[in-house]
Amino acid sequence: MTIAKGTPLREMSKVLAGAGLVEEDVRFAILARLLGYSGRIKAGEFKLATGMNPLQVLRRLVAARPIQHSVTIPEGLRLHEIGRIFAQGGWCDEEQFRRLAQDKAFVTGLGFGDLDSLEGYLFPDTYYLTRDIHGAEELIVMMTRRFREVWTEVAPAPAAKANQHEVVILASIVEKETGRGEERPVIAGVFHNRLKIGMRLQSDPTVIYGIEDFSGNITRQHLQTPSRYNTYTLAGLPAGPISNPGRSALEAVLRPAATDYLYFVGRNDGTHQFSRTLEEHNQAVRKYQRKKLEKNGKG
């Protein structure tokens, strides 16, 4: 049984009657007013047993906590993917979520300055929602509030706060490059090393982010086609975050591993081989590409 925000007592009586909890008449509303309960009944979704008298129902409604539904947003999703998860649960309209998260006036109103989008700032976590929470605006405010809470915990230094957007951009790339927690600081270290010497990041996930209707197969032409997100053709960071990073990716960028690696390649098992020189890297690429071909029966 669900009681919406702002439901008048008479309408509330009808909801309760429909659930078989009280009789559909004015007595419930009168009793609630007489006992001073009318302003204390919470909105939300409740599970109440039948067979109680109206006074017992009132007391349960005043004391009960609304049912909470857990919704998990994994690390590394794009904003439209997050909107889809909420929409599938009936929490918001998917298109409205996408539109608001990219509405410059709305973004500015939330205190995120001159950003064009909240990509990167919709913090991935498990959220416990009650049915009185609904709509894209409430969900986005909730997620960006959580981002600020975590940011305050992981980046207390003023210097880190000043470079927040750059940290979030790089963390979003680290998040997409590996799902292994132990590798994130190392990959962050590789990218920091590249940025220090003016070497391009050359990250495939950034290229993919800049491709509309990506088919799932990245090609040489994709890598060679300039875009605001193609870090094979761009120097430095892409135009903005390419995903919404979690705590460990943010921490990895703020506290990268001290390493002299400049390269890494996937081992085809979710982990990466790291190299210091281009020669080492090319050897690793040949090794793991050959293994991949053999695994796929093409060797």
Side-chain angles (χ1 to χ4, degrees), residues 21-22 28 31 49-60:
L21 292 165
V22 300
F28 179 83
L31 181 63
T50 56
M52 294 185 290
N53 62 46
L55 180 58
Q56 290 172 319
V57 171
L58 270 171
R59 286 174 173 166
R60 287 294 301 276

Side-chain angles (χ1 to χ4, degrees), residues 95-110:
E95 180 55 37
Q96 175 74 351
F97 187 97
R98 185 186 297 116
R99 187 190 67 77
L100 265 183
Q102 298 177 97
D103 183 300
K104 192 173 178 62
F106 179 69
V107 172
T108 302
L110 289 179

Side-chain angles (χ1 to χ4, degrees), residues 18 24 33 43 70 77 94 97 112 134 137 141 147 157 178 211 237 239 254 256 263 279 290 296:
E24 187 174 349
R33 289 194 182 96
S70 65
L77 296 187
E94 182 178 347
F97 187 97
F112 285 94
H134 58 84
E137 183 171 343
V141 168
F147 168 82
T178 183
I211 301 171
L237 297 170
L254 290 164
Y263 305 92
E279 182 181 1
R290 183 172 65 250
N296 293 336

Side-chain angles (χ1 to χ4, degrees), residues 1 7 39 48-49 84 137 153-154 177 260:
M1 181 204 67
T7 303
L48 299 177
R84 186 175 304 134
E137 183 171 343
E153 294 168 4
V154 302
E177 287 285 3
D260 54 358

Side-chain angles (χ1 to χ4, degrees), residues 77-137:
L77 296 187
R78 298 185 185 184
L79 67 86
H80 72 273
E81 294 172 315
I82 294 172
R84 186 175 304 134
I85 289 174
F86 282 128
Q88 287 171 346
W91 300 102
C92 72
D93 176 77
E94 182 178 347
E95 180 55 37
Q96 175 74 351
F97 187 97
R98 185 186 297 116
R99 187 190 67 77
L100 265 183
Q102 298 177 97
D103 183 300
K104 192 173 178 62
F106 179 69
V107 172
T108 302
L110 289 179
F112 285 94
D114 200 35
L115 299 183
D116 293 324
S117 167
L118 288 170
E119 190 83 276
Y121 298 90
L122 301 171
F123 193 77
D125 206 342
T126 295
Y127 292 94
Y128 296 92
L129 307 179
T130 55
R131 284 298 172 188
D132 61 316
I133 297 174
H134 58 84
E137 183 171 343

Side-chain angles (χ1 to χ4, degrees), residues 57-297:
V57 171
L58 270 171
R59 286 174 173 166
R60 287 294 301 276
L61 283 174
V62 169
R65 295 185 64 183
I67 295 172
Q68 292 185 323
H69 301 265
S70 65
V71 180
T72 298
I73 305 298
E75 292 90 345
L77 296 187
R78 298 185 185 184
L79 67 86
H80 72 273
E81 294 172 315
I82 294 172
R84 186 175 304 134
I85 289 174
F86 282 128
Q88 287 171 346
W91 300 102
C92 72
D93 176 77
E94 182 178 347
E95 180 55 37
Q96 175 74 351
F97 187 97
R98 185 186 297 116
R99 187 190 67 77
L100 265 183
Q102 298 177 97
D103 183 300
K104 192 173 178 62
F106 179 69
V107 172
T108 302
L110 289 179
F112 285 94
D114 200 35
L115 299 183
D116 293 324
S117 167
L118 288 170
E119 190 83 276
Y121 298 90
L122 301 171
F123 193 77
D125 206 342
T126 295
Y127 292 94
Y128 296 92
L129 307 179
T130 55
R131 284 298 172 188
D132 61 316
I133 297 174
H134 58 84
E137 183 171 343
E138 283 192 68
L139 295 168
I140 291 171
V141 168
M142 175 185 68
M143 297 189 81
T144 54
R145 184 190 303 125
R146 183 66 182 135
F147 168 82
R148 285 195 170 100
E149 291 171 354
V150 173
W151 179 261
T152 300
E153 294 168 4
V154 302
K161 292 182 187 296
N163 297 318
Q164 182 185 79
H165 195 52
E166 289 78 9
V167 171
V168 173
I169 292 174
L170 194 53
S172 76
I173 301 172
V174 171
E175 193 72 82
K176 296 298 284 186
E177 287 285 3
T178 183
R180 298 291 185 112
E182 69 275 12
E183 284 194 344
R184 289 186 183 118
V186 184
I187 288 179
V190 170
F191 286 143
H192 274 291
N193 290 343
R194 287 188 167 204
L195 290 170
K196 284 177 186 175
I197 64 174
M199 184 177 174
R200 290 175 182 172
L201 295 182
Q202 296 184 322
S203 169
D204 288 3
T206 67
V207 179
I208 292 168
Y209 188 86
I211 301 171
E212 283 191 34
D213 303 319
F214 179 63
S215 66
N217 181 33
I218 192 166
T219 65
R220 185 178 298 274
Q221 183 178 354
H222 287 144
L223 301 181
Q224 295 174 344
T225 302
S227 82
R228 296 168 65 235
Y229 290 91
N230 187 345
T231 54
Y232 281 83
T233 61
L234 279 174
L237 297 170
I242 63 166
S243 73
N244 290 275
R247 179 190 292 265
S248 63
L250 292 168
E251 289 176 331
V253 172
L254 290 164
R255 288 175 283 280
T259 177
D260 54 358
Y261 293 135
L262 284 172
Y263 305 92
F264 59 90
V265 63
R267 293 193 183 109
N268 308 316
D269 63 356
T271 67
H272 293 83
Q273 177 71 41
F274 295 89
S275 303
R276 294 172 177 81
T277 69
L278 182 58
E279 182 181 1
E280 289 176 358
H281 176 63
N282 287 337
Q283 289 175 354
V285 169
R286 286 192 293 270
K287 175 182 177 180
Y288 291 106
Q289 281 185 342
R290 183 172 65 250
K291 286 187 175 182
K292 186 175 182 180
L293 289 172
E294 290 171 353
K295 184 178 178 180
N296 293 336

